[in-house]
Amino acid sequence: MKADIVRGHLDALLLATLSDGPLHGYAIIEALQARSGGVLDLPTGSVYPALRRLERARYISGHWSVVGGRRRRTYQLTRAGRQELARERADWSRFTTAIGGILGEPG
């Protein structure tokens, strides 16, 4: 799948991934890959800047911890993040309905 398809939807994908509970950065990447059936294999160079952007927007909060001697930043949704995710899901539903009407199977 082309990486360009994810562009514009990465924030929503990250928020949705965190809706199940807190995760550290690499676990988010693994969860995205697993939940997409292996279709999405996003580079850390795309995910980590997006996480920082979402944290600055106060959609997620992060805290540092030490796991196995390594520092990790764990992220979780905030109330504002849950509200943003609801908006993103509504937008996605409208978008897929519209595109399905155009690209769907011919009647």
Side-chain angles (χ1 to χ4, degrees):
M1 177 175 285
K2 295 179 186 175
D4 288 351
I5 292 173
V6 175
R7 189 174 296 141
H9 303 289
L10 180 57
D11 290 359
L13 294 171
L14 294 172
L15 293 173
T17 301
L18 288 169
S19 69
D20 292 337
L23 293 170
H24 61 82
Y26 189 71
I28 293 169
I29 294 169
E30 289 178 326
L32 281 168
Q33 188 174 22
R35 288 173 66 173
S36 71
V39 173
L40 296 179
D41 187 15
L42 302 177
T44 58
S46 296
V47 173
Y48 286 104
L51 289 170
R52 287 190 292 276
R53 182 177 60 252
L54 291 170
E55 192 170 14
R56 281 192 308 272
R58 300 184 190 259
Y59 293 147
I60 62 174
S61 63
H63 68 276
W64 289 102
S65 60
V66 177
V67 178
R70 295 182 62 188
R71 282 182 42 152
R72 290 187 176 169
R73 190 147 180 89
T74 300
Y75 300 92
Q76 64 184 20
L77 281 181
T78 63
R79 179 179 294 143
R82 291 192 187 285
Q83 292 169 345
E84 178 62 15
L85 177 57
R87 283 189 293 273
E88 291 280 357
R89 284 180 167 152
D91 287 349
W92 179 253
S93 179
R94 285 190 298 275
F95 177 76
T96 56
T97 298
I99 297 303
I102 298 165
L103 294 179
E105 292 295 318

